[in-house]
Amino acid sequence: MSNYHIKTVEEYHQAYRRSVQDPESFWGEIARENFVWQKPWDTVLNWDFTKPEVSWFEGAQLNITENCIDRHLPTRGDKTAILFEPNDPSEAAQKITYREMYARVCQFANVLRDMEVQKGDRVCIYLPMIPELAISVLACARIGAIHSVVFAGFSATALSTRINDCDCKMVITSDGSFRGNKTIDLKGIVDEALENCDGVEKVLVAKRVHSEVTMKEGRDHWLQPLLDVASEDCIPEVMNAEDPLFILYTSGSTGMPKGMVHSTAGYMVYTAYTFKNVFQYEEEDIYWCTADIGWITGHSYIVYGPLANGATTVIFEGVPTYPDWGRFWQIVEKHKITQFYTAPTAIRALAKQDIGFVEKYDLSSLKVLGTVGEPINEEAWHWYDDNIGKGNSPIVDTWWQTETGGIMISPIPFVTPTIPTFATLPLPGIQPCLMDESGNELTATRASGRLCIKFPWPAMARTIWGNHQRYKNTYFSIFDNKYFTGDGALRDNTGNYRITGRVDDVIIVSGHNLGTAPIEDAVDEHPAVAESAIVGFPHDVKGNALYGYVILKEMGESRDHTNLRKEINQLITERIGPIAKLDKIQFTSGLPKTRSGKIMRRILRKIAAGDSENLGDISTLLNPEVVADIKKNVI
Ligand code: WT7
């Protein structure tokens, strides 16, 4: 019997127990029975968290695109693989069948091969949410090139940093992108980024907005004419199980963004298995995840997980506000969406609008609702449950990370219970634990601490590109022999987990993971700024928003503060992107520091949150007097 699809609570408990008692036979059986392999593995799992080294299905050979496309052709050739809904609702939606996907991915892969992209080369993809984005991702996988998708809302500086970090030789982009009533000049951003990227030899440009762009002779090529003459068959590269499939950058508390490296076989098995179960996907369903493919949610649960299951997955180009706040619900009605997966920040923003935007549409096709990216508050959970699910579509609050590759803790709808604000139970194969600050595991069922994972799972990131030491330091050195998530959590007396939020300097703003360090670097670049510190504070739509404390140089003190705030946010937009702009900027004469010179962010966080009465003992600070001044001028 295959234990791939869990349908009852007994099956869940049985699968979970087996996955802990005998993980190799558990994952070996799932891998063997549900995927196509060119060569089977020698060992299911090798691991050592002290190095750390983890390998799954060592010795096996496969190509993930054969699993996502080729094998579906006999039974699902005419089924829609990708349902593309354009930004403008008056433009026709496109249905791309599995057979068409096969031809388009092969053609694209042949274009890449013609341009001398080889197995192991890195290709940066900087595209809007159009079918070419998913197709280019799969084309890279077809020939064994490592894709590094950069979210097309990032600035030229952020793009060039990511291109250079993993030494991409090619960039795939488009002339521009549509977002609501705006058109964004993506090619211009790429051109600016490439002024600082010597390693990029070729740029492929898809046409989307039909704007005038400059093409650099020898470097830039229009994509379509090359596709038109490419063969519709492309022999897939034979990949080893542990060959890197992609790199995806995520913010850390300090330093450069981290290029998380994901492997081929383990990632495929885990994302496919979790997609099937967490969304209880059935053959006729139309599944929609509103994330961008530029984030891990899109990689795992728009592209790879759904396609490995032969699903129909929606790619939506636009924004929830265009042409009005009813757009999401209009799309649900239009395409009879069965599973809808979005972020708490979107739910909170939608809940603030007139309920007429929801009531106008027939949402009765919905079966499962999902949320991801940050803790969902109780009010938003109930609004989602009552108004979108009408009380009969279970909400899966899915906790996971770029690093984990796939969903880790989540209800299984119709199988395990949902509890507002709780991600609930670990999926089979996942062994979470809670640790106290001195490194002891909390063994009581009811407990609250730092969330770690004790045992490897197939989709975990294997390293940070070019910096294994940093991978070890960040995830495996805080607690012995455990993966540290950076999150705090509490566990109730029946073993359900509630994620309480980050315990480090990563701030989640509207579901986007932002490190403070690069934003502070951008602020400090302003000629009038001497020093800055950025913290998060609670925000009713974004979850957290950013609060900047800025010390000005003498020359800045006479400047108009409104203009200075604008200039600082402009710099952040240029260096990182608009998502990292500061909601509040307070100019201050000093920052509270420890005697060793470290900024006491705890104090700054409390003041920004309006909780400046309980700052605790500040007498050990180097400069306790600045605290009163900061409190007085809080915004
Ligand atoms: C961080 C990871 C994984 C896809 C999107 C974010 C927070 C994620 C939840 C949830 C509470 C959550 C955590 C995590 N997070 N999902 N359901 N409940 N918090 O990926 O950008 O790598 O961010 O997002 O703090 O560590 P990411």
Side-chain angles (χ1 to χ4, degrees):
M1 187 208 84
S2 165
N3 53 6
Y4 186 70
H5 187 184
I6 297 166
K7 290 183 176 148
T8 64
V9 71
E10 292 77 26
E11 283 173 5
Y12 163 74
H13 287 298
Q14 197 190 1
Y16 190 80
R17 222 175 299 121
R18 228 187 115 203
S19 77
V20 173
Q21 282 164 3
D22 195 352
E24 295 203 34
S25 91
F26 177 78
W27 288 113
E29 184 183 302
I30 288 173
R32 192 166 51 245
E33 292 179 9
N34 299 285
F35 302 89
V36 292
W37 303 88
Q38 293 170 1
K39 181 174 168 285
W41 48 89
D42 303 316
T43 43
V44 174
L45 171 64
N46 291 306
W47 70 292
D48 178 349
F49 272 0
T50 63
K51 286 199 166 94
E53 260 174 35
V54 172
S55 72
W56 285 90
F57 310 110
E58 192 75 59
Q61 292 184 323
L62 73 156
N63 188 289
I64 195 168
T65 67
E66 286 192 296
N67 283 277
C68 288
I69 304 173
D70 306 37
R71 65 155 161 164
H72 303 311
L73 297 180
T75 51
R76 302 186 176 106
D78 296 322
K79 180 175 176 178
T80 302
I82 287 177
L83 206 173
F84 173 61
E85 173 66 25
N87 176 62
D88 180 348
S90 66
E91 187 182 327
Q94 291 173 33
K95 292 182 174 174
I96 306 174
T97 65
Y98 274 93
R99 206 181 319 284
E100 288 160 350
M101 277 300 280
Y102 173 84
R104 291 180 66 173
V105 168
C106 285
Q107 286 180 313
F108 207 130
N110 285 323
V111 169
L112 297 179
R113 275 199 180 138
D114 285 348
M115 299 230 141
E116 282 161 31
V117 178
Q118 282 161 10
K119 177 176 174 179
D121 286 345
R122 275 78 60 209
V123 172
C124 173
I125 302 175
Y126 187 73
L127 279 171
M129 282 287 282
I130 55 177
E132 285 79 357
L133 174 47
I135 291 167
S136 60
V137 159
L138 293 164
C140 287
R142 187 94 178 158
I143 64 162
I146 302 171
H147 55 78
S148 168
V149 182
V150 176
F151 171 59
F154 275 119
S155 71
T157 315
L159 175 60
S160 64
T161 308
R162 286 160 177 77
I163 290 172
N164 288 332
D165 182 69
C166 64
D167 204 7
C168 296
K169 69 191 278 191
M170 177 187 269
V171 177
I172 303 171
T173 189
S174 64
D175 51 358
S177 68
F178 294 127
R179 273 182 81 73
N181 48 26
K182 284 195 259 179
T183 304
I184 295 152
D185 175 21
L186 287 193
K187 177 64 167 61
I189 296 172
V190 170
D191 289 341
E192 194 187 328
L194 294 191
E195 283 170 20
N196 302 307
C197 304
D198 293 338
V200 173
E201 293 159 15
K202 299 279 181 209
V203 178
L204 292 178
V205 188
K207 266 205 170 116
R208 174 56 183 147
V209 303
H210 298 271
S211 56
E212 288 273 326
V213 300
T214 41
M215 297 292 277
K216 188 168 168 187
E217 181 82 36
R219 185 193 73 182
D220 301 352
H221 302 266
W222 289 110
L223 178 62
Q224 197 57 47
L226 300 172
L227 291 174
D228 288 342
V229 296
S231 159
E232 293 185 0
D233 288 295
C234 172
I235 295 174
E237 190 75 35
V238 177
M239 303 297 285
N240 294 318
E242 282 294 318
D243 281 340
L245 174 65
F246 66 86
I247 299 168
L248 188 62
Y249 286 86
T250 188
S251 311
S253 359
T254 53
M256 273 276 304
K258 299 169 285 191
M260 305 313 305
V261 179
H262 282 281
S263 72
T264 302
Y267 176 82
M268 172 184 78
V269 168
Y270 192 76
T271 54
Y273 174 75
T274 50
F275 172 76
K276 178 74 179 170
N277 287 299
V278 171
F279 298 102
Q280 288 290 306
Y281 184 82
E282 298 286 353
E283 194 62 43
E284 304 305 319
D285 289 348
I286 312 285
Y287 163 87
W288 180 22
C289 164
T290 69
D292 193 287
I293 293 173
W295 310 116
I296 191 72
T297 308
H299 281 60
S300 303
Y301 299 109
I302 296 177
V303 182
Y304 288 112
L307 296 180
N309 282 282
T312 298
T313 178
V314 173
I315 291 184
F316 173 46
E317 183 183 30
V319 292
T321 50
Y322 181 79
D324 61 40
W325 280 98
R327 188 68 192 278
F328 274 7
W329 320 126
Q330 178 253 333
I331 295 172
V332 168
E333 175 183 285
K334 176 176 174 190
H335 296 301
K336 301 197 168 47
I337 302 296
T338 45
Q339 288 91 353
F340 177 75
Y341 190 27
T342 196
T345 184
I347 298 166
R348 289 190 295 263
L350 289 157
K352 276 188 177 279
Q353 314 309 317
D354 190 318
I355 195 68
F357 285 119
V358 176
E359 287 169 348
K360 224 169 118 184
Y361 300 101
D362 177 6
L363 308 181
S364 61
S365 56
L366 289 169
K367 297 196 288 193
V368 176
L369 302 176
T371 115
V372 60
E374 55 185 313
I376 180 165
N377 50 307
E378 187 135 12
E379 201 185 340
W381 194 98
H382 284 296
W383 183 87
Y384 200 27
D385 187 38
D386 295 343
N387 296 288
I388 307 306
K390 322 282 183 203
N392 54 32
S393 297
I395 296 174
V396 290
D397 176 354
T398 63
W399 174 82
W400 58 297
Q401 308 177 294
T402 305
E403 295 86 337
T404 70
I407 297 168
M408 303 286 280
I409 303 181
S410 168
I412 297 180
F414 310 106
V415 172
T416 63
T418 65
I419 309 168
T421 76
F422 279 70
T424 72
L425 297 172
L427 294 179
I430 305 309
Q431 300 186 34
C433 62
L434 297 175
M435 308 294 289
D436 70 16
E437 277 173 51
S438 28
N440 304 308
E441 183 173 346
L442 300 162
T443 49
T445 310
R446 191 187 166 85
S448 154
R450 319 222 140 180
L451 180 64
C452 290
I453 314 289
K454 288 201 251 195
F455 194 84
W457 63 101
M460 63 188 289
R462 301 296 195 264
T463 190
I464 292 174
W465 183 265
N467 200 344
H468 197 66
Q469 187 61 43
R470 186 176 180 198
Y471 176 72
K472 178 174 173 165
N473 294 348
T474 310
Y475 304 108
F476 294 90
S477 303
I478 321 265
F479 300 104
D480 276 349
N481 229 6
K482 288 178 183 68
Y483 168 82
F484 174 48
T485 64
D487 283 320
L490 65 83
R491 187 168 53 209
D492 73 7
N493 47 22
T494 49
N496 289 292
Y497 286 85
R498 174 177 199 226
I499 313 302
T500 46
R502 301 291 307 188
V503 293
D504 55 13
D505 289 332
V506 171
I507 306 171
I508 305 200
V509 178
S510 298
H512 300 308
N513 204 330
L514 299 173
T516 50
I519 311 176
E520 286 164 4
D521 290 347
V523 174
D524 296 349
E525 269 186 55
H526 192 288
V529 171
E531 199 184 351
S532 64
I534 289 164
V535 297
F537 69 98
H539 184 282
D540 63 353
V541 172
K542 301 178 183 182
N544 295 293
L546 298 177
Y547 194 115
Y549 296 91
V550 175
I551 305 177
L552 292 173
K553 292 180 187 160
E554 227 178 277
M555 59 168 286
E557 282 167 10
S558 55
R559 297 266 328 260
D560 173 59
H561 282 183
T562 312
N563 282 336
L564 269 177
R565 288 192 176 95
K566 273 195 199 130
E567 288 168 19
I568 287 171
N569 269 331
Q570 183 54 32
L571 253 173
I572 294 174
T573 305
E574 283 163 20
R575 293 293 177 264
I576 298 150
I579 52 177
K581 285 203 284 197
L582 308 179
D583 267 40
K584 295 184 180 178
I585 299 176
Q586 175 178 355
F587 296 107
T588 172
S589 58
L591 294 166
K593 292 198 177 161
T594 62
R595 287 181 193 276
S596 60
K598 239 184 117 190
I599 297 171
M600 282 290 274
R601 288 172 194 278
R602 185 178 55 79
I603 293 175
L604 295 175
R605 254 182 241 130
K606 284 210 156 174
I607 297 174
D611 182 21
S612 55
E613 293 317 307
N614 315 299
L615 297 180
D617 183 14
I618 58 167
S619 63
T620 58
L621 289 176
L622 186 68
N623 50 352
E625 70 288 350
V626 303
V627 175
D629 191 46
I630 293 178
K631 274 164 70 170
K632 198 169 77 213
N633 296 311
V634 68
I635 297 177

